[in-house]
């Protein structure tokens, strides 16, 4: 491990957000306006993950008032408060740039159902025996 890697290791977040391509995420960003600070939420689809380590970024795309808006977030930035995964989608590509050209229903992705927790008990139907 060289000197740069040691310095960057201290800058990494302890809990890096677990995001994948095709996830619809809600990113909470701290915005500074003059003396005030506020948290702004940006909800959209992750179309790209790039880099690694402290330089890792995600590109999130949303359509706002009919205009596509993309924003790049550094995952280990102190300005990025938290990232919530709203839903996951089935994708077969590493970059979803083709969504830029699609509109409306054509731009939808197939949603993945959440995996079942093996520790949870399954609900079973109670069957009652009929008396003849």
């Amino acid at each position: 491990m060289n000197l740069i890697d040691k310095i960057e290791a201290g800058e990494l977040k302890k809990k890096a957000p677990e995001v994948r391509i095709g996830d619809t995420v809600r990113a909470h960003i701290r915005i500074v306006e003059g003396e005030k600070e506020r948290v702004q939420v940006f909800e959209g689809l992750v179309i790209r993950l790039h880099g690694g380590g402290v330089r890792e970024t995600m590109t999130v795309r949303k359509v706002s008032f009919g205009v596509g808006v993309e924003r790049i977030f550094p995952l280990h930035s102190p300005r990025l408060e938290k990232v919530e995964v709203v839903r996951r989608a089935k994708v077969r590509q590493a970059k979803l740039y083709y969504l830029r050209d699609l509109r409306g229903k054509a731009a939808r992705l197939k949603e993945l159902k959440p995996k079942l927790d093996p520790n949870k008990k399954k609900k079973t139907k109670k069957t009652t025996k009929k008396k003849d």
Side-chain angles (χ1 to χ4, degrees):
M1 204 178 208
N2 61 16
L3 182 61
I4 293 174
D5 291 337
K6 288 179 183 177
I7 293 170
E8 286 181 354
E11 299 298 320
L12 290 173
K13 282 187 177 178
K14 303 290 185 230
K15 276 187 143 180
E18 292 284 328
V19 294
R20 297 189 302 216
I21 308 284
D23 288 353
T24 301
V25 296
R26 196 174 287 136
H28 298 258
I29 312 108
R30 240 182 303 137
I31 304 289
V32 178
E33 293 175 337
E35 306 266 327
K36 297 180 189 173
E37 268 193 25
R38 65 185 177 89
V39 175
Q40 185 177 37
V41 179
F42 190 92
E43 184 173 345
L45 184 73
V46 177
I47 62 169
R48 173 185 182 206
L49 289 174
H50 187 257
V54 77
R55 294 178 207 86
E56 189 173 7
T57 61
M58 70 175 173
T59 303
V60 180
R61 177 179 175 80
K62 75 173 183 177
V63 178
S64 178
F65 297 102
V67 179
V69 179
E70 290 183 10
R71 190 154 176 199
I72 300 170
F73 297 106
L75 289 179
H76 294 282
S77 170
R79 294 258 179 242
L80 188 64
E81 295 245 328
K82 65 180 177 177
V83 177
E84 299 174 32
V85 177
V86 178
R87 65 182 154 260
R88 296 194 182 276
K90 179 181 178 185
V91 292
R92 296 175 63 179
Q93 296 184 10
K95 308 286 189 268
L96 302 180
Y97 296 145
Y98 69 91
L99 291 175
R100 293 172 176 165
D101 300 326
L102 301 179
R103 302 285 177 263
K105 286 188 176 181
R108 292 181 302 177
L109 296 174
K110 183 170 177 137
E111 189 173 345
L112 280 179
K113 294 181 179 162
K115 291 184 179 179
L116 295 175
D117 189 14
N119 298 331
K120 281 189 174 179
K121 293 183 179 179
K122 292 182 181 180
K123 292 183 180 177
T124 56
K125 291 184 180 178
K126 292 183 180 178
T127 56
T128 58
K129 295 181 181 179
K130 293 184 179 179
K131 294 182 181 179
D132 290 321

